[in-house]
Structure formats: C-alpha cells, structure tokens
Amino acid sequence: MDLHIFNPEHDIALSYDVPHISVPHAAQELRMNLGFLPALWAADGDCVLVEDIKFALKSAAPFKKLMADVLFVEKKDLAELPIDGVKPWGWDKRIRAELLESGVDERILPVDKELQFVRTISDRCHTTNVLAELRRGIEGRTCGEAFRCNSTGEVEDVCAAHRSVVVKCPWSSSGRGLRYVDGKMDDAKRAWVEKSIMRQGHVMVEPHYNKVCDFAVEFVSDGKGRVESRGLSVFHTSNGKYTGNVIASEEEKRMRISRYVDLELLDRVVDRMEKLFSDMLGSEYKGPFGVDMMAVADVVTGRLLLHPCVEMNMRRTMGHVALALTQKPLQFASMMSIMHKVNYQFRIERIEGKFVNVIFR
C-alpha cells in the first residue's frame, strides 16, 4: 500500500531546511482539520496519515461518496504497516524526519540529495530563467519579469524602476511570504525585506501586474525524464491567498480561459513547458507539481497578455485536487474551497448560474 500525507507546512519547512521546526498554529490546524484530503485522490487499499483517526472520520464523512476505500492511520501505526511507497503533499526534511522517527523504512524515503533538489528547484529565483525560455519568440503576446535581490538596496532599485511591485520570499505559501510596494518602501516593509533576506538569503521582486484571471497547468514527472501535463486549474485568490478552485471538465476550463488568453498560444506554451521541465527535472524529481499563470491587461495598450510562469509549486497543489474531483460522480460545475470559521473546512459548492449551493462541507 501507499501512504499519503497532507502536510501543508511543506513550504514553511523548505524555508527552514532542517528536520525539526516549530510549525505555526495555522498550519498545524490545517493539517489536523483537513488531514483526510488524500482520500480524494488515493487508490483503494492505500492508507492516509492523520493526526487523529476519530476526528478524520468525522471530518471526512460528508465526502464519503467521493473518497477511495482507504485506511486512516496515526504515527503510532506506521512501523507495523506494509508500506510500499510514501506520497506526501510535498517532500522536505521535516516530513522525512517525522516518518523516520515513526518507524517508516528509510529505503522507501528520499535521500538528502533528492530533498535538496526539491528545495533548490522550489526557490522562486528559478522563475527568472523559466520565464525567459517560455517567452522566447512570443514576447509581444506574453509578459513576466522576476528579479532576484540580495540586498534591500537592490529591492529599492527595482521599486524605483517599476511603479508597483510584489516582493516575495524564496519559499513561502498561501500569500504569507509577500508584500506589495507602491513607490517607495515604508519602514515596516523595509524591515520585513531585511529580515527575509537575512533568513532566506534573497528575495524576488516582480512588477505588480493588472491581473484579470488566475489559472495554472498541473503536471506529473515520472522520475525518468518525462513530464506530462495532466490538465488546467482555474482558481481564485484574494490578496495573494488561495480561496478556491473550479471543478469542471477540461473543455469548460478552456472555454473560461479563452475569454482572456488565445488557446493556441496557451497550448504552445504548455508544450514548451513539458520539454523544458522534462530536461530540468530529469530523474531528480518524481511526482506532481504545478505552474501558476495569469492573464494580464496591459495598462498602456489595453491588450490581454499571458504571464506563463508566476510560480512553480514542486508539490501536489489544490489544482491537482480539483483534477482528481473531476473524476468523481459530481456531474455538475462546482467550486471547491477552504474556509475558516471555528476551524478549517473543505467545501464543494454547486454552481448554478449566479447561485452557489453548498453540497459537501
């Protein structure tokens, strides 16, 4: 059997790059509340690691018709299970140490070299070279710049050259590791940039584009030098934070995106991505990942441009979750989201014209 794990603290763990960290309360709560999620994409007979089995069973109950026949397990159970492979949300030193200390066979876990590759390729500085390659020959129909800055002075230089920018930590998640700057940085943002550079080595600075649509392409690498696209992801954000995904057929998603992006151009870029990532990842990375894109309205010409690589997420993504749900018996256009009230809740809503009805939560 395969062991699946939802470890949403993955991006935070990459930034620290040590086996043991103090996980922020929000990430702990997210893992506790939504630990059952891998049952939506696991195979029958697999197991899913959760913090508390009774809590997971209660949280998962509304989604039972969409879930595989899996076994929920806790850390104390792992040493006795016949696990053939491990499939976390994302690989990092922290999740490897957690599994080793719980008795999982070291032979089925990645070695330090593989973990270092995941961390290196997850650094946002890699978007610079990827952007240049993806835009080659189609610059007039695309946009996208990213600048690696090793000092506050370099950040201020980019701010001076662009009226509005986004400053991003190399490793962060869900909009937490970024700041928007219009004109000059104030003292609070300058202090944040200095602290980020001191802790992570550098920051990335990008122009703040006039975004009109978020979407992504989801991929899988076979670990043998072949990367294939698995489908599109149409999602929504608020102030850089993920809010939800559309669950729909590829035809429906392409129709939505076609309002903003020429599909011939998009297909051309995706083909280029498959070749680029096949060479880049080779045999060093096996598993799912995603590339966030957006349609941008050029403020000068009014034209809509494609930004082909806003972020690269070298892990499973919510877009992959949405793709898994398209294989389930929903039979209608839906929206999935993660809400927080008393705790985190996973919801699937039915879209009917202008109305949205909650059907699973």
Side-chain angles (χ1 to χ4, degrees), residues 44-199:
D44 288 345
D46 284 350
C47 53
V48 175
L49 179 64
V50 296
E51 299 295 294
D52 181 278
I53 292 175
K54 289 183 179 179
F55 187 90
L57 288 170
K58 181 179 179 181
S59 301
F63 305 94
K64 191 169 181 61
K65 290 191 294 185
L66 307 178
M67 291 166 43
D69 183 12
V70 300
L71 176 69
F72 289 135
V73 299
E74 298 175 10
K75 293 176 189 176
K76 60 181 176 61
D77 305 316
L78 295 181
E80 306 301 323
L81 292 171
I83 300 170
D84 299 310
V86 181
K87 296 180 178 179
W89 188 254
W91 277 115
D92 53 69
K93 288 183 178 179
R94 183 186 186 278
I95 192 65
R96 183 179 187 274
E98 179 180 320
L99 294 169
L100 276 175
E101 291 162 9
S102 299
V104 174
D105 190 337
E106 184 177 16
R107 292 172 295 180
I108 62 173
L109 300 178
V111 298
D112 286 343
K113 180 182 177 182
E114 293 169 313
L115 295 177
Q116 188 56 49
F117 182 82
V118 171
R119 183 175 190 267
T120 299
I121 206 71
S122 298
D123 185 337
R124 285 192 169 105
C125 72
H126 283 284
T127 57
T128 304
N129 294 333
V130 171
L131 272 170
E133 182 61 27
L134 293 177
R135 296 188 62 203
R136 180 174 45 82
I138 50 175
E139 289 85 354
R141 305 171 69 189
T142 60
C143 65
E145 292 181 287
F147 304 93
R148 172 175 172 155
C149 296
N150 300 313
S151 69
T152 305
E154 291 181 6
V155 174
E156 290 175 332
D157 289 343
V158 179
C159 290
H162 300 271
R163 188 178 73 175
S164 181
V165 302
V166 186
V167 185
K168 299 180 179 181
C169 289
W171 300 277
S172 63
S173 64
S174 300
R176 291 182 177 84
L178 60 84
R179 295 292 186 276
Y180 295 94
V181 179
D182 289 311
K184 293 183 179 180
M185 288 189 292
D186 58 28
D187 290 342
K189 289 176 181 176
R190 185 176 292 104
W192 179 84
V193 167
E194 289 174 353
K195 182 179 179 181
S196 299
I197 292 175
M198 181 174 64
R199 191 167 70 82

Side-chain angles (χ1 to χ4, degrees), residues 22-33:
S22 295
V23 178
H25 176 73
Q28 293 182 45
E29 188 181 10
L30 191 59
R31 185 169 175 176
M32 175 71 177
N33 295 160

Side-chain angles (χ1 to χ4, degrees), residues 37 99 113 117 156 163 172 199 225 242 246 250 259 263 292-293 295 302 306 310 317 322 333 351:
L37 281 182
L99 294 169
K113 180 182 177 182
F117 182 82
E156 290 175 332
R163 188 178 73 175
S172 63
R199 191 167 70 82
Y242 171 85
V246 172
E250 288 301 300
R259 300 169 187 167
L263 293 180
D292 292 348
M293 300 178 167
L306 171 65
V310 180
T317 67
I351 303 172

Side-chain angles (χ1 to χ4, degrees), residues 294-337:
M294 62 183 175
V296 172
D298 187 286
V299 294
V300 177
T301 66
R303 295 180 60 197
L304 290 175
L305 303 174
L306 171 65
H307 190 315
C309 183
V310 180
E311 305 232 347
M312 299 185 299
N313 297 301
M314 304 309 298
R315 52 168 170 78
R316 191 174 295 276
T317 67
M318 283 297 169
H320 280 279
V321 180
L323 286 175
L325 287 171
T326 62
Q327 309 302 314
K328 306 295 182 176
L330 290 173
Q331 298 178 347
F332 46 75
S334 311
M335 173 72 71
M336 73 176 207
S337 59

